[in-house]
Amino acid sequence: MTATVLTTTYNFSAYMIYLPIVITLTVLVTQFLFSNSKTFMVDIFHQKKDIAMATNSLFKIGFYLLNLGFALCIIEFFQIETIERLVVALSKKIGGFSIYLGIMMLLNLLLFLKGRKHSLRKEKLENGQETGF
């Protein structure tokens, strides 16, 4: 017969700490990014505010889905038996997620800048054609 030894793990505590932190980080970054991207969107859509805001809202929903989905995909913790391992595991997971979130934010910013550049180029072409250049 084998004796089953029940050991206390900190896995549940890790989940209860990890989830609120990544959700809060995602919400804060999303709110910051998309409240400041409204100007870009209005410019990209040539002052058509209704289309710009609708597009911005769709980007915002997609950003939430991608980032929260990724946070949930990487949530698994393995046999955390000490407080020290809990801190290390949480710092790795939250740090990795923060890096990912920062990269996603920068990619979105690049998309906004690229859209603005395209919009300005299109506007120049239209103005050049109207004046005969």
Side-chain angles (χ1 to χ4, degrees):
M1 269 177 84
T2 59
T4 304
V5 179
L6 296 175
T7 58
T8 304
T9 65
Y10 292 96
N11 287 37
F12 185 74
S13 298
Y15 297 127
M16 292 298 102
I17 295 168
Y18 172 80
L19 282 172
I21 290 173
V22 297
I23 290 169
T24 302
L25 274 174
T26 302
V27 168
L28 289 174
V29 169
T30 304
Q31 293 302 322
F32 180 77
L33 178 63
F34 288 97
S35 67
N36 291 308
S37 68
K38 290 176 186 175
T39 307
F40 284 104
M41 295 304 256
V42 170
D43 193 33
I44 290 167
F45 287 102
H46 304 287
Q47 309 309 314
K48 295 177 185 170
K49 197 168 184 172
D50 54 339
I51 295 173
M53 293 304 100
T55 304
N56 198 45
S57 293
L58 292 172
F59 270 116
K60 188 178 188 180
I61 301 258
F63 194 80
Y64 272 123
L65 290 173
L66 278 172
N67 294 312
L68 290 175
F70 182 74
L72 292 172
C73 281
I74 65 167
I75 195 172
E76 192 171 16
F77 290 97
F78 297 101
Q79 290 304 108
I80 302 172
E81 295 171 350
T82 66
I83 296 290
E84 181 182 355
R85 286 188 181 175
L86 173 67
V87 171
V88 169
L90 283 170
S91 64
K92 284 182 180 179
K93 290 280 184 181
I94 294 168
F97 180 74
S98 296
I99 291 168
Y100 163 80
L101 195 58
I103 291 169
M104 291 302 292
M105 187 185 83
L106 290 174
L107 287 175
N108 268 280
L109 184 58
L110 286 173
L111 280 174
F112 295 138
L113 291 172
K114 187 174 182 175
R116 185 168 187 270
K117 184 178 177 182
H118 176 73
S119 175
L120 290 173
R121 190 177 318 126
K122 185 178 176 183
E123 191 175 297
K124 282 182 183 178
L125 284 174
E126 287 172 359
N127 289 339
Q129 289 173 350
E130 289 173 9
T131 59
F133 289 108

